[in-house]
Amino acid sequence: MFSKLFGNKKQEKQNDSQKVLKEKKESRKRDNKPVNEVNDVGIGMGLSFNISSDENEKYGISISSSPVGVSTDSTATDFYVYEWFIKDTGEIFYVGKGRGNRYKTFHERAYEAEKIRKMYDTASRFIGTGLTEEQAIELESKEITRILNETNDRLTNRIIPLFTKRDNGYGRSPKTPELQFETAPHFYASEIEEHYFGIKPRSFDEVKCENLKAVVFITRNVRDEISIIYGGKFDKYQDETKALLSINGSKILKSKFAKSVTAWVYIGDDYVMNYENDQEQALEKLGRNIPTYHLIDVWKFLKENFGEVNTVLEEENPIIPIHNRVSLKEIKNLYDWEKGFDEGMPYWEKGDKERKAGNLERAIELFDIARYNGYNAPALYTSYAMAYRKLKDYENEIAIIDEAIERLRSEKINANEITIMGLKERRAKALVLKQKNSSER
């Protein structure tokens, strides 16, 4: 049932939510609530589960979306729910709860809503007054659901209830060309931007050889689109592109606004507004705009002009790490991420404090215990790698990075490609240092 409901939702718990999960657990402990409630078991989308039974012991399960508002634990009874709308069209573009003058004050975080208020003749209205905070949160969620289920209005609310017939207005606008295999995407406008501000999708620039002298790879906002564009083989396209650039004397820079940069090469896609803001900064900092390409177009251009390339790099010396880590098959909680988190993370935290204090050997001992207990997060492997780098133990650094990449990919957790890219870059640097160290002996 859960796979049918949530099979297409991104499960980023492994990479991004260890801090959030820890805070939730600590909060529940403070409130004397049981930690292992349904909302903490990998869903994290504001769900409520009710299990009921009748006198014949027949059980039923109901699933509902929890309210989206955040409680301040106020006991006041003068809360209200309001909405902002455009006078000419009647379109509702924001729903909120508040007290006092909240309905008419500037909302710092509601950037798009405030932009609409500046561009259009808008007004506000109350849809409920004299409420407790709980009642206001509930009504706010019901109104958002009603708008998204019964109208075509595009809401600027960032968080919406789960079970609505359509999303808010932050997805790609319908006029954005669909993602395709081995095809560069477009910088896209959201539905909000296209509908209210008239922003249109923008294609990437046509690749020119003279602009590939010094490039920067842009990895911002990489999401699930790369699985479509690269057919699940992103590494192949990236490695071949980098190899062809290297063969032809191109440099790969780190800073987007480096003085010598000649092009930006995007891995995924991004908002048109982000692209335009970047170009404005380039004009201010460098006095020029930067040609902007997509990796897939650069890959096609280089392959067409320079042919195939061998991306398998031979490592001059074998990697022979010496350590006392248990093998992966001996790890506790290997297939229970949450239990591994609970039992292993405290050891990682202690170990990272030791690492920062310069007690590297002790830090590694604690990382080993965290790993043995099933803690499997990029933070652990990053800490391992930094400790080994400081010790100039490049064999172990490379080995632990290889394990991290293997686990991120094999355990079916929708590994964050940016994390893997960072690990691969660190591995490449460690390999260079290892070979340099060997040649100096």
Side-chain angles (χ1 to χ4, degrees):
M1 177 183 70
F2 292 112
S3 63
K4 289 180 180 179
L5 280 172
F6 308 114
N8 294 325
K9 297 288 183 182
K10 296 181 71 177
Q11 300 175 12
E12 296 179 339
K13 174 181 179 182
Q14 179 77 9
N15 296 313
D16 302 322
S17 68
Q18 72 176 41
K19 183 177 180 182
V20 174
L21 183 55
K22 181 186 177 186
E23 290 173 352
K24 280 186 179 181
K25 289 178 181 295
E26 291 177 347
S27 174
R28 290 191 182 280
K29 287 173 183 175
R30 286 195 299 270
D31 297 338
N32 294 319
K33 295 179 181 178
V35 173
N36 293 323
E37 293 183 2
V38 174
N39 280 348
D40 282 337
V41 188
I43 304 301
M45 298 178 189
L47 298 182
S48 296
F49 290 81
N50 295 311
I51 303 176
S52 59
S53 63
D54 57 22
E55 64 273 12
N56 297 317
E57 296 187 351
K58 291 182 179 179
Y59 292 87
I61 299 176
S62 64
I63 306 174
S64 61
S65 177
S66 300
V68 299
V70 178
S71 174
T72 63
D73 295 323
S74 172
T75 58
T77 58
D78 59 348
F79 279 89
Y80 54 75
V81 176
Y82 65 97
E83 53 194 22
W84 288 338
F85 64 95
I86 297 173
K87 289 183 180 179
D88 289 344
T89 63
E91 291 175 276
I92 301 165
F93 59 90
Y94 185 80
V95 179
K97 74 173 178 71
R99 299 172 62 203
N101 292 324
R102 177 63 175 167
Y103 72 96
K104 60 182 179 181
T105 57
F106 178 81
H107 286 25
E108 185 176 352
R109 295 182 181 179
Y111 170 79
E112 289 82 359
E114 290 295 351
K115 191 173 176 182
I116 292 170
R117 291 176 76 189
K118 286 182 180 179
M119 292 182 64
Y120 293 86
D121 185 11
T122 67
S124 61
R125 59 177 168 240
F126 298 107
I127 60 172
T129 58
L131 307 172
T132 66
E133 188 172 31
E134 274 190 26
Q135 290 172 330
I137 290 173
E138 187 72 29
L139 181 57
E140 179 189 33
S141 295
K142 286 182 178 178
E143 179 64 0
I144 291 172
T145 300
R146 182 194 70 79
I147 292 167
L148 294 176
N149 285 352
E150 300 176 15
T151 78
N152 291 320
D153 295 353
R154 296 152 183 85
L155 290 179
T156 60
N157 292 76
R158 288 283 180 181
I159 302 174
I160 62 171
L162 179 63
F163 294 117
T164 55
K165 292 180 181 177
R166 61 187 177 88
D167 204 349
N168 53 10
Y170 290 98
R172 295 178 180 86
S173 69
K175 294 183 181 178
T176 304
E178 291 187 7
L179 298 169
Q180 298 180 55
F181 175 60
E182 286 193 355
T183 303
H186 283 64
F187 288 109
Y188 61 89
S190 68
E191 288 189 56
I192 291 169
E193 291 171 327
E194 182 180 75
H195 180 73
Y196 292 113
F197 313 135
I199 298 172
K200 303 297 182 185
R202 185 192 187 284
S203 61
F204 284 84
D205 296 331
E206 182 181 349
V207 180
K208 294 183 179 180
C209 189
E210 61 267 27
N211 292 330
L212 295 177
K213 294 177 182 178
V215 306
V216 173
F217 285 93
I218 307 297
T219 58
R220 181 179 59 197
N221 288 343
V222 171
R223 298 173 304 280
D224 57 345
E225 76 276 2
I226 66 171
S227 64
I228 298 173
I229 298 169
Y230 304 106
K233 297 181 178 180
F234 166 71
D235 285 350
K236 168 185 180 295
Y237 294 91
Q238 184 190 44
D239 291 347
E240 289 184 2
T241 302
K242 285 186 174 182
L244 285 163
L245 286 169
S246 178
I247 289 169
N248 290 281
S250 299
K251 295 180 180 178
I252 298 175
L253 308 176
K254 295 288 186 182
S255 173
K256 183 162 53 179
F257 300 110
K259 290 182 179 180
S260 59
V261 65
T262 58
W264 294 333
V265 179
Y266 274 71
I267 301 296
D269 60 2
D270 204 349
Y271 286 103
V272 172
M273 291 296 293
N274 286 343
Y275 162 80
E276 291 179 349
N277 288 337
D278 286 345
Q279 291 291 3
E280 286 179 11
Q281 288 187 61
L283 204 54
E284 291 175 7
K285 295 178 179 181
L286 304 174
R288 56 193 169 89
N289 290 129
I290 307 299
T292 306
Y293 306 142
H294 194 272
L295 178 69
I296 207 72
D297 283 341
V298 175
W299 174 79
K300 287 179 180 178
F301 177 87
L302 293 171
K303 295 268 283 188
E304 182 179 338
N305 287 274
F306 303 107
E308 299 292 331
V309 63
N310 179 18
T311 59
V312 179
L313 300 177
E314 294 185 6
E315 296 180 354
E316 294 180 7
N317 299 308
I319 306 300
I320 310 175
I322 299 173
H323 57 76
N324 295 317
R325 293 190 299 274
V326 299
S327 65
L328 280 176
K329 64 182 180 181
E330 297 177 90
I331 287 178
K332 291 170 58 181
N333 310 313
L334 188 59
Y335 302 108
D336 188 338
W337 190 89
E338 189 165 351
K339 193 172 181 182
F341 178 98
D342 289 340
E343 296 183 10
M345 197 193 80
Y347 292 103
W348 167 73
E349 287 186 316
K350 292 176 185 177
D352 217 39
K353 287 180 181 177
E354 295 287 351
R355 178 188 65 80
K356 291 174 181 176
N359 304 319
L360 302 176
E361 299 288 356
R362 177 56 181 158
I364 291 171
E365 288 176 5
L366 289 164
F367 296 155
D368 287 345
I369 299 172
R371 175 179 172 273
Y372 170 70
N373 279 283
Y375 186 55
N376 175 26
L380 170 65
Y381 287 103
T382 299
S383 296
Y384 257 129
M386 288 192 289
Y388 284 127
R389 174 74 62 89
K390 198 74 174 176
L391 289 168
K392 297 185 178 180
D393 185 351
Y394 305 120
E395 281 86 356
N396 267 305
E397 182 182 1
I398 291 168
I400 205 68
I401 289 172
D402 287 343
E403 179 181 298
I405 293 171
E406 177 189 350
R407 293 189 73 182
L408 284 170
R409 287 189 167 151
S410 67
E411 295 182 3
K412 309 297 182 185
I413 57 169
N414 287 336
N416 187 316
E417 286 292 342
I418 298 301
T419 302
I420 292 176
M421 287 165 59
L423 288 168
K424 289 182 67 179
E425 288 179 4
R426 185 173 191 95
R427 186 192 190 281
K429 178 65 174 177
L431 182 60
V432 170
L433 292 171
K434 172 186 175 298
Q435 292 172 346
K436 181 181 178 181
N437 192 50
S438 298
S439 65
E440 291 175 351
R441 288 178 182 175

